[in-house]
Amino acid sequence: MTKRKAPDIVVGRLPLYLRMLNQLIEEDRSTTNSQELGDRLGISAAQIRKDLSYFGGFGKYGAGYDVIYLRDQLRRILHLEKIWRVVLVGAGDLGHALANYHGFSKNGFEIVAVFDSDEQKVGTMVGGLLVQDVSRLEEVISENHVKIAIIAVPVSAAQAVADRLAAAGVSGILNYAPITLKVPPGVKVQYIDPVARLQHMAFYVGGELNKSSDPGE
Amino acid sequence: MTKRKAPDIVVGRLPLYLRMLNQLIEEDRSTTNSQELGDRLGISAAQIRKDLSYFGGFGKYGAGYDVIYLRDQLRRILHLEKIWRVVLVGAGDLGHALANYHGFSKNGFEIVAVFDSDEQKVGTMVGGLLVQDVSRLEEVISENHVKIAIIAVPVSAAQAVADRLAAAGVSGILNYAPITLKVPPGVKVQYIDPVARLQHMAFYVGGELNKSSDPGE
């Protein structure tokens, strides 16, 4: 049986399921079900069953899921069985926070090098790594077979960094600069933009405020 | 005519359109159209027209959009015409980076207070603000009529902070802790989880690697 191709929005939910399974494992739980996962994630049980069905059958009807088995399967599906080596470009405040964040290495991603173009920063230590001059970017990517990079540079520098990363063979970019990057086909970009998230929330929060101050309500 | 209610995914794209319009304004452009916006954002022109149609008619067929007019309309729709006062809970590495990030105040959000529970951090300056003891959280939220908060504390503390924020009247939370928060109805949460984004990318990047190393391809 040929599996249907999972839509991107479904793929994007798998890390949430994986995170919840890891949490259940920490709670010493051995089984769960779509109802519980759904309740804890704020997603419908039907949605979770449908999402997982793109990748195979992971539970018996009525018996639920084996937590460790499902966790391992999700790790396999997401290609997290090996550790991904990641380079970080930008050693400013954000770069510091990212380099010091233990969540990456605990969840399949090791930052192996940090770069900056500022000679004041080059040679300093960040998160246990020496900040290297960005001129060495291509060399380090090639030597370490790096496929994933994080951009934490100002907007004005982000596209040029993305161009260099793509040309050097990187095929996944996590971009913190608030700009839509142009990349060649085959290069995936994910964006982290807290301002966009706050603005998204303001739509609802502002709507509620206006409603509650409306004397007609 | 009653407007149709925009799906959440459409609301989530409005900040991207707003960001692109601001970029066009910096480039001294006065008009644009859905084709150009789509090309620059990697979204189809039809999608952009459909998204905007939920909120009214912003352009003439053939004439495109007036950049400043559309920017102002999006700001109105997203409730960004006033500055939102925001509190930040957590003054660790991430809290530092957030407090120092100028993108918030430039785009409608002013961090008015920073809190931490660590007495080593309380009383220090972060991003021009004095770090306050988290015991003062409710008082400061009430005094400043704060409706939006950012959580940048460890996972173990995040739910308790969210509970206190919701009880104090906050109705929008931007959560950096990698945990799904339980909040009362009416409180919106947006999540920032770089690990989930990297894992999402690994699905594709790993798939490509496996394909290219498959001798059958």
Side-chain angles (χ1 to χ4, degrees), chain B residues 58-193:
Chain B
F58 302 111
K60 288 180 191 159
Y61 281 108
Y65 303 115
D66 180 287
V67 171
I68 289 179
Y69 177 74
L70 184 54
R71 190 267 316 258
D72 289 345
Q73 293 304 308
L74 288 177
R75 286 169 51 93
R76 178 184 58 77
I77 292 162
L78 290 166
H79 304 294
L80 300 174
E81 287 170 313
K82 61 158 202 162
I83 299 287
W84 290 90
R85 287 177 298 270
V86 174
V87 296
L88 168 62
V89 188
D93 287 317
L94 175 62
H96 262 81
L98 294 171
N100 283 307
Y101 181 50
H102 296 295
F104 291 130
S105 58
K106 279 201 308 187
N107 290 286
F109 302 90
E110 187 195 358
I111 296 176
V112 296
V114 183
F115 299 92
D116 206 286
S117 61
D118 179 355
E119 61 184 33
Q120 301 286 321
K121 295 202 180 89
V122 173
T124 63
M125 295 295 287
V126 170
L129 293 164
L130 197 71
V131 178
Q132 303 186 62
D133 191 284
V134 75
S135 65
R136 294 208 59 227
L137 186 62
E138 288 80 1
E139 187 184 339
V140 171
I141 286 171
S142 169
E143 277 171 4
N144 291 278
H145 307 286
V146 169
K147 292 288 166 194
I148 295 180
I150 303 177
I151 293 183
V153 303
V155 163
S156 56
Q159 182 61 54
V161 169
D163 292 344
R164 288 178 61 183
L165 291 169
V170 163
S171 47
I173 296 174
L174 184 66
N175 176 36
Y176 278 83
I179 181 175
T180 301
L181 297 174
K182 292 194 219 314
V183 292
V187 176
K188 283 270 165 188
V189 183
Q190 290 273 326
Y191 295 88
I192 302 256
D193 184 348

Side-chain angles (χ1 to χ4, degrees), chain A residues 43-177:
Chain A
I43 297 174
S44 79
Q47 182 73 67
I48 290 176
R49 288 194 298 270
K50 191 177 168 204
D51 286 358
L52 293 177
S53 75
Y54 282 100
F55 305 97
F58 302 111
K60 288 180 190 157
Y61 281 107
Y65 304 114
D66 181 288
V67 172
I68 289 177
Y69 177 74
L70 185 55
R71 190 268 314 261
D72 289 345
Q73 292 303 309
L74 288 178
R75 285 169 54 92
R76 179 184 58 75
I77 291 162
L78 290 167
H79 305 292
L80 301 174
E81 287 169 315
K82 61 159 202 159
I83 300 286
W84 290 90
R85 289 179 297 273
V86 174
V87 296
L88 168 62
V89 188
D93 287 317
L94 175 61
H96 263 79
L98 294 171
N100 282 309
Y101 181 50
H102 296 296
F104 292 130
S105 59
K106 279 200 308 187
N107 290 287
F109 302 89
E110 187 197 358
I111 296 176
V112 295
V114 182
F115 299 92
D116 207 288
S117 61
D118 179 353
E119 60 183 35
Q120 302 285 322
K121 296 202 179 90
V122 173
T124 62
M125 295 296 286
V126 170
L129 293 163
L130 197 70
V131 179
Q132 303 185 65
D133 191 285
V134 75
S135 65
R136 294 207 59 228
L137 186 62
E138 288 80 2
E139 188 184 338
V140 172
I141 286 172
S142 171
E143 277 171 4
N144 292 279
H145 307 287
V146 170
K147 292 290 166 195
I148 294 180
I150 303 177
I151 293 182
V153 302
V155 163
S156 56
Q159 182 61 56
V161 169
D163 292 344
R164 289 178 61 183
L165 291 168
V170 164
S171 47
I173 297 174
L174 185 67
N175 176 37
Y176 278 84

Side-chain angles (χ1 to χ4, degrees), chain A residues 5-9 11-16 18-20 23 39-42 55 77-80 82 84 86 93-94 96-98 100-101 103-104 107-109 147-150 171-174 176-182 186 188-210, chain B residues 5-9 11-16 18-20 23 39-42 55 77-80 82 84 86 93-94 96-98 100-101 103-104 107-109 147-150 171-174 176-182 186 188-210:
Chain A
K5 189 164 176 273
D8 184 61
I9 197 161
V11 177
R13 280 192 288 263
L14 299 184
L16 301 186
L18 178 56
R19 194 174 76 186
M20 185 52 72
Q23 194 175 320
D39 287 348
R40 292 178 66 153
L41 288 165
F55 305 97
I77 291 162
L78 290 167
H79 305 292
L80 301 174
K82 61 159 202 159
W84 290 90
V86 174
D93 287 317
L94 175 61
H96 263 79
L98 294 171
N100 282 309
Y101 181 50
F104 292 130
N107 290 287
F109 302 89
K147 292 290 166 195
I148 294 180
I150 303 177
S171 47
I173 297 174
L174 185 67
Y176 278 84
I179 181 176
T180 302
L181 298 174
K182 290 192 222 318
K188 284 270 167 190
V189 183
Q190 290 272 330
Y191 295 90
I192 303 254
D193 184 348
V195 164
R197 295 309 184 91
L198 286 171
Q199 292 178 337
H200 185 166
M201 278 198 305
F203 174 83
Y204 297 103
V205 177
E208 285 301 309
L209 287 181
N210 289 349
Chain B
K5 189 162 174 271
D8 184 60
I9 196 162
V11 177
R13 280 193 288 264
L14 299 184
L16 302 186
L18 178 57
R19 195 174 76 186
M20 184 54 71
Q23 194 175 321
D39 287 347
R40 293 177 66 152
L41 288 165
F55 305 97
I77 292 162
L78 290 166
H79 304 294
L80 300 174
K82 61 158 202 162
W84 290 90
V86 174
D93 287 317
L94 175 62
H96 262 81
L98 294 171
N100 283 307
Y101 181 50
F104 291 130
N107 290 286
F109 302 90
K147 292 288 166 194
I148 295 180
I150 303 177
S171 47
I173 296 174
L174 184 66
Y176 278 83
I179 181 175
T180 301
L181 297 174
K182 292 194 219 314
K188 283 270 165 188
V189 183
Q190 290 273 326
Y191 295 88
I192 302 256
D193 184 348
V195 164
R197 295 309 185 91
L198 286 170
Q199 292 177 336
H200 185 167
M201 280 200 304
F203 174 82
Y204 297 103
V205 177
E208 286 300 310
L209 288 180
N210 289 351

